[in-house]
Amino acid sequence: MQKFIVNGGTKLKGNVKISGSKNAVLPIAVAAAILGDNISVLHNVPNLTDVKTLSAVLEGLGASITRKNGSLYIEPINRMEFEAPYDLVRQMRASIYVLGPLVAKLGRAKVSFPGGCAIGPRPVDLHIRGLEKLGAQVEVKRGYIYAQAERLIGTEIDLLGQHGPSVGATANVMMAATLADGETVINGAACEPHICDLANFLNAMGANIDGIGTATLKIEGVRQLRGTEHNVISDDIEAGTFMVASAITNGDVYVEGIKPHQVTAVTKKLVASGVQLDWDDNGVRVTTPDKLNAIDVETAPFPGFPTDMQAQFMGLLSLATGTSNITENVHTDRFIHAAELNRMGADIRLEGRKAIISGVSSLSGAPVMASDLRAGAVLVIAGIAAAGETTVSRIYHIDRGYEAIEKKLKALGADIVRVNESV
Ligand code: EPZ
């Protein structure tokens, strides 16, 4: 395993280019590999472990995938392989995305039941509910989900869960519905930017999806989908992470390749805490006054404040003046990074879904451990802001969702190296 060694006390300065969106390219690659009848080409594809893992799952199903200069060339499946095995699915929950498309295309699927992870149990009952409503017979046994259907039949589906809309279930059911007979209406659909990008990709393949960007999706089933070419949208969470990295280090960073509408909820909170944002057509310059002020944040499904930016804001508000409150409403257990930040001198108290953050004047470097990709990211940027040395272990979590994070941070002046754990 590898770790990062960070020597803190740096104000980040310079220009960072945001990569393609992890949470958009994963379902889009599935759609291209399973639903399409011929080759698709995806551009602006981030070089991430999750993309490599998903490519292995799709190649196991018979697709062939070539990466060249930031693009993926995807030849769709051409045989009746319908099993996504445990050893790959357990590495990445998004493998569950193959379930709906396989049933729609081949009439059957066998997908390992995805495990939980550090941010909660991560159930898939809404994925199963949606596919059953479309007429699939679904059974969960011996750690696998078995699904089959002669034909999927369009219908009205209420996909809202107890924690609100589900990004994954919306993607799974929407992809399946594109090849169903008749019209499907999904109520309570997720509207995240990556769901919109997936829907736009499916329509470019010949699907018939209306209501993109709203909580009600109308999908008129078609007989087949053809391959197409697509530029993946930029990653709003990576952009938000680098905005926080500039703010937490009192830096001056230009975040290139993001549009205001992709990060509205995050930028509203950054400005409320005192961060200065200067937008132009290609991105935003992020500068900060000497001290930030405390604010309250509640995570919510889009267009609310994204849960994937919660950890980053916990780090930022650790250095704000006053007491901030962060409430995590989306995932049931996404505060593990609080204890790690406290090891660095932060003063964070947890009360159920709420974290109470009393701002401190400075953080100090310490050995800490990443528990998920966003927790890992905040520990790295907190280490850059802290005085002294921070080592962040289990950085494989970070590599899942951030393309060459240490190269981008080094280019902004950070003192960070990647070493093997044995060091
Ligand atoms: C996606 O996960 C993202 N992953 C997550 O990003 C993100 O945190 C999450 O959406 C919320 O925005 C990808 O897109 C690959 P959900 P997903 O289904 O689809 C509950 C990151 O940092 N739920 O929207 O798994 C669930 O427990 C990752 O990039 C059910 O109850 O999330 C959660 O409380 C981490 N039943 C809530 O809904 C279900 O069948 C939202 O989950 C499915 C979900």
Side-chain angles (χ1 to χ4, degrees):
M1 287 210 269
Q2 297 182 314
K3 63 185 176 185
F4 285 139
I5 300 176
V6 182
N7 278 303
T10 312
K11 290 178 186 250
L12 296 178
K13 291 191 186 322
N15 186 91
V16 62
K17 178 103 177 63
I18 297 305
S19 302
S21 163
K22 164 178 88 82
N23 292 347
V25 73
L26 294 176
I28 288 172
V30 169
I34 297 177
L35 298 174
D37 281 346
N38 56 318
I39 189 168
S40 285
V41 184
L42 308 182
H43 301 298
N44 194 32
V45 175
N47 191 9
L48 304 172
T49 320
D50 271 8
V51 174
K52 293 186 188 105
T53 304
L54 183 68
S55 298
V57 171
L58 296 173
E59 285 173 336
L61 294 168
S64 68
I65 299 177
T66 316
R67 183 185 181 90
K68 209 162 55 184
N69 311 326
S71 299
L72 279 191
Y73 296 78
I74 302 178
E75 279 284 355
I77 60 173
N78 57 10
R79 59 176 197 255
M80 284 300 284
E81 182 55 62
F82 56 86
E83 179 175 346
Y86 170 69
D87 65 323
L88 287 171
V89 174
R90 70 182 170 78
Q91 294 174 43
M92 184 191 59
R93 168 183 171 71
S95 312
I96 187 77
Y97 284 151
V98 305
L99 184 66
L102 282 174
V103 176
K105 187 79 176 189
L106 303 181
R108 55 195 306 193
K110 177 186 174 189
V111 180
S112 169
F113 201 85
C117 63
I119 60 177
R122 313 295 293 278
V124 290
D125 57 303
L126 298 173
H127 298 243
I128 292 171
R129 179 204 293 177
L131 294 177
E132 285 180 332
K133 287 286 283 181
L134 287 171
Q137 294 81 44
V138 183
E139 197 188 356
V140 179
K141 65 182 179 200
R142 297 170 52 75
Y144 275 83
I145 304 170
Y146 295 82
Q148 62 181 36
E150 278 305 303
R151 283 291 296 160
L152 295 178
I153 313 293
T155 184
E156 182 152 6
I157 301 169
D158 177 2
L159 216 46
L160 208 55
Q162 57 177 351
H163 299 284
S166 159
V167 167
T170 301
N172 227 328
V173 176
M174 174 169 68
M175 286 192 278
T178 58
L179 293 181
D181 285 346
E183 181 184 74
T184 298
V185 176
I186 300 176
N187 298 313
C191 336
E192 272 69 5
H194 30 288
I195 288 293
C196 297
D197 203 30
L198 170 63
N200 290 327
F201 176 73
L202 290 165
N203 278 349
M205 294 179 86
N208 223 323
I209 303 170
D210 267 335
I212 298 174
T214 76
T216 304
L217 293 171
K218 280 197 174 65
I219 303 127
E220 187 59 48
V222 294
R223 301 303 297 166
Q224 66 176 49
L225 295 175
R226 59 185 178 278
T228 187
E229 198 155 355
H230 183 77
N231 286 304
V232 176
I233 56 169
S234 55
D235 194 314
D236 55 313
I237 304 301
E238 187 196 22
T241 304
F242 277 96
M243 288 179 193
V244 168
S246 180
I248 199 174
T249 60
N250 247 333
D252 182 350
V253 174
Y254 181 75
V255 179
E256 184 189 347
I258 195 73
K259 296 285 182 206
H261 72 273
Q262 290 180 271
V263 284
T264 311
V266 169
T267 50
K268 234 160 74 183
K269 288 297 179 183
L270 285 173
V271 170
S273 70
V275 174
Q276 168 134 3
L277 302 176
D278 298 299
W279 286 94
D280 64 25
D281 289 348
N282 300 315
V284 60
R285 183 180 174 197
V286 184
T287 51
T288 42
D290 285 342
K291 278 300 272 180
L292 297 177
N293 39 60
I295 55 169
D296 291 346
V297 175
E298 292 229 13
T299 70
F302 192 87
F305 186 91
T307 172
D308 297 346
M309 281 299 301
Q310 179 255 102
Q312 298 89 318
F313 263 67
M314 191 180 283
L316 179 68
L317 296 172
S318 296
L319 289 172
T321 304
T323 300
S324 303
N325 297 291
I326 293 184
T327 308
E328 172 56 62
N329 293 313
V330 176
H331 291 295
T332 51
D333 184 11
R334 198 172 198 174
F335 283 148
I336 298 181
H337 42 278
E340 298 303 295
L341 288 167
N342 283 343
R343 288 175 49 75
M344 299 174 73
D347 179 359
I348 304 164
R349 197 162 39 87
L350 300 181
E351 279 177 12
R353 283 186 169 274
K354 196 156 87 165
I356 298 106
I357 305 144
S358 306
V360 295
S361 54
S362 66
L363 295 174
S364 48
V368 288
M369 190 186 294
S371 50
D372 78 81
L373 70 162
R374 311 302 174 186
V378 71
L379 295 175
V380 170
I381 57 181
I384 298 169
E389 180 182 279
T390 296
T391 54
V392 182
S393 60
R394 299 194 181 177
I395 58 173
Y396 58 86
H397 286 293
I398 304 175
D399 293 333
R400 289 189 49 190
Y402 288 92
E403 184 175 32
I405 193 168
E406 78 271 26
K407 289 198 184 79
K408 293 187 176 182
L409 288 168
K410 253 188 214 157
L412 295 173
D415 176 351
I416 178 171
V417 288
R418 178 189 291 256
V419 298
N420 291 323
E421 280 281 17
S422 50
V423 172

Coordinates of all heavy atoms in Angstrom, one line a residue, residues 131 151 217 263 309 386:
L131 N -36.5 -2.3 -10.9 CA -36.4 -3.4 -12.0 C -37.6 -4.3 -11.9 O -38.2 -4.8 -12.9 CB -35.1 -4.2 -11.9 CG -33.9 -3.3 -12.2 CD1 -32.6 -4.1 -12.0 CD2 -33.9 -2.8 -13.6
R151 N -39.2 -9.6 -21.4 CA -39.2 -8.2 -21.9 C -39.5 -7.3 -20.8 O -40.3 -7.7 -19.9 CB -40.3 -8.0 -23.0 CG -40.1 -8.5 -24.4 CD -39.0 -7.8 -25.1 NE -39.2 -6.4 -25.4 CZ -38.3 -5.6 -25.7 NH1 -37.0 -5.9 -25.6 NH2 -38.5 -4.3 -26.0
L217 N -38.7 11.6 -14.7 CA -38.2 11.3 -16.0 C -39.2 10.5 -16.8 O -39.8 9.5 -16.2 CB -36.9 10.5 -15.8 CG -35.7 11.2 -15.2 CD1 -34.6 10.2 -14.8 CD2 -35.2 12.3 -16.1
V263 N -21.8 23.9 -9.6 CA -21.3 24.0 -8.2 C -22.0 25.0 -7.4 O -21.5 25.6 -6.4 CB -19.7 24.2 -8.2 CG1 -19.0 23.0 -8.5 CG2 -19.4 25.4 -9.1
M309 N -19.1 16.6 -0.7 CA -18.2 17.8 -0.4 C -18.3 18.0 1.2 O -17.7 19.0 1.7 CB -18.8 19.0 -1.1 CG -18.3 19.2 -2.5 SD -16.5 19.2 -2.7 CE -16.1 20.7 -1.8
A386 N -1.8 22.5 7.4 CA -1.3 22.3 8.8 C 0.2 22.7 8.9 O 0.9 22.7 7.9 CB -1.5 20.9 9.2

